[in-house]
Amino acid sequence: MGTHRGAGRFAPSPSGDLHLGNLRTALLAWLFARSTGRAFGIRIEDLDRVRSGADERQLADLAALGLDWDGPVVRQSERLTLHHAAIDRLTAAGLTYECYCTRREIQQAAAAPHGPMGAYPGTCRDLSEAERTARCADGRPAALRLRSRTTEFEIVDGLRGRYRGIVDDFVLRRGDGTPAYNLAVVVDDADQGIDQVVRGDDLLPSTPRQAYLATLLGANVPRYAHVPLVLNQDGKRLAKRDGAVTLADRRALGESPQQVFALLADSLGFRANHPHELLEQFAPAVLPTTPWILASGDVVEPSRNP
Ligand code: GLU
């Protein structure tokens, strides 16, 4: 992708169909990129939670709404060599260690009164050689963690402003040998020349970890914009059980992709049936800063077979 002009991206996990909230985030990522003259790419983050056929349906839905992208769609699973090379560089720099903790042990240790909430407490950070050998002998597959030299890092978010958050010894490579999301996302964004990251604000708390890791790898920290999620009327994250929430659901009710697009545009405060029509009016400064609550009038219950 043209690194000289910069690039944005949408990076869905192919775990199922995109719902209206994901589609809206994709639209925003496209708008931010296109309105700043950047390239726009799609990266399928298929290292985890893959449902067969979901990637193709996600791409078809994005295209049906009128979104376009540059270059071939990138799949994270085809980039493992890059991820492992980055892990090796960190290891060579003394910035990793093996961790034998189970999820349960981490939860118990993290609940202890010391250390920031939600942070790995460093149980395996300073094991002696003998302790390490003993834990290896238990046969537990070791994860590889970052030996972080900080506990906090500050990023600047285009919508949220300054945000300071925890950096712990997060996992770089899982026990099964797969690169962890936080590692892969940083390596791929850097390698692909992505300098603008627009995504759901559920990922804001992970962003200081990712930005810090980028600095350790000698990569530029991208510009971030974390956009509000779509919530149901109970203020909870939109889910399948909330009714007609995917493009396929809406189509089954007789709505056209243009009507769905118009609904997404309306949620952003614009009237438009197509991305290019919206692009002419788009400015980040006028975006709503609060979550979009999908009203029941907006969500129609899927009709059931008699
Ligand atoms: N694949 C991640 C998700 O679908 C998004 C990662 C990102 O945009 O950085 O939640």
Side-chain angles (χ1 to χ4, degrees), residues 79-164:
R79 306 168 60 80
L80 294 171
T81 313
L82 271 175
H83 306 145
H84 289 301
I87 293 169
D88 290 347
R89 275 168 57 209
L90 293 166
T91 299
L95 287 169
T96 68
Y97 64 89
E98 293 194 327
C99 168
Y100 309 89
C101 293
T102 61
R103 194 171 297 230
R104 193 187 159 86
E105 283 170 340
I106 296 171
Q107 274 163 1
Q108 284 169 351
H114 54 81
M117 278 304 287
Y120 176 66
T123 319
C124 292
R125 184 175 169 117
D126 298 309
L127 294 182
S128 68
E129 239 359 271
E131 285 169 324
R132 215 168 276 285
T133 311
R135 301 206 66 170
C136 271
D138 289 349
R140 282 191 204 162
L144 197 71
R145 288 185 180 274
L146 178 70
R147 186 181 291 281
S148 175
R149 291 179 178 148
T150 188
T151 55
E152 280 187 356
F153 198 77
E154 184 173 288
I155 60 117
V156 180
D157 184 277
L159 296 174
R160 304 282 292 263
R162 284 167 186 274
Y163 177 86
R164 204 173 168 77

Side-chain angles (χ1 to χ4, degrees), residues 41-287:
I42 307 272
R43 184 175 66 235
I44 306 278
E45 302 211 317
D46 58 350
L47 296 185
D48 200 11
R49 297 182 291 143
V50 174
R51 183 167 301 171
S52 149
D55 51 352
E56 293 305 328
R57 288 201 306 279
Q58 293 182 338
L59 295 173
D61 286 358
L62 297 173
L65 290 179
L67 298 178
D68 56 5
W69 51 89
D70 302 304
V73 169
V74 166
R75 272 161 227 280
Q76 222 160 27
S77 58
E78 292 165 358
R79 306 168 60 80
L80 294 171
T81 313
L82 271 175
H83 306 145
H84 289 301
I87 293 169
D88 290 347
R89 275 168 57 209
L90 293 166
T91 299
L95 287 169
T96 68
Y97 64 89
E98 293 194 327
C99 168
Y100 309 89
C101 293
T102 61
R103 194 171 297 230
R104 193 187 159 86
E105 283 170 340
I106 296 171
Q107 274 163 1
Q108 284 169 351
H114 54 81
M117 278 304 287
Y120 176 66
T123 319
C124 292
R125 184 175 169 117
D126 298 309
L127 294 182
S128 68
E129 239 359 271
E131 285 169 324
R132 215 168 276 285
T133 311
R135 301 206 66 170
C136 271
D138 289 349
R140 282 191 204 162
L144 197 71
R145 288 185 180 274
L146 178 70
R147 186 181 291 281
S148 175
R149 291 179 178 148
T150 188
T151 55
E152 280 187 356
F153 198 77
E154 184 173 288
I155 60 117
V156 180
D157 184 277
L159 296 174
R160 304 282 292 263
R162 284 167 186 274
Y163 177 86
R164 204 173 168 77
I166 290 173
V167 178
D168 61 351
D169 288 352
F170 55 93
V171 172
L172 302 171
R173 192 180 65 211
R174 305 191 322 226
D176 66 4
T178 311
Y181 158 68
N182 279 321
L183 180 280
V185 73
V186 171
V187 170
D188 288 337
D189 282 342
D191 176 71
Q192 293 184 270
I194 304 290
D195 66 345
Q196 181 190 59
V197 169
V198 178
R199 56 187 181 186
D201 63 11
D202 54 328
L203 287 168
L204 188 59
S206 305
T207 305
R209 291 179 175 91
Q210 295 173 13
Y212 174 64
L213 182 58
T215 65
L216 291 180
L217 290 169
N220 292 324
V221 175
R223 288 165 181 270
Y224 296 105
H226 286 89
V227 302
L229 296 178
V230 179
L231 305 180
N232 67 18
Q233 281 184 308
D234 302 328
K236 301 248 167 60
R237 252 198 233 196
L238 196 66
K240 272 227 156 29
R241 62 177 170 282
D242 291 316
V245 295
T246 67
L247 194 58
D249 294 341
R250 313 291 293 202
R251 279 180 139 160
L253 295 168
E255 269 179 45
S256 68
Q258 288 68 37
Q259 284 172 301
V260 175
F261 185 87
L263 174 66
L264 299 178
D266 180 71
S267 80
L268 298 172
F270 299 99
R271 288 178 72 89
N273 295 317
H274 191 275
H276 286 282
E277 206 181 317
L278 179 42
L279 184 57
E280 289 164 19
Q281 316 163 46
F282 179 72
V286 302
L287 287 179

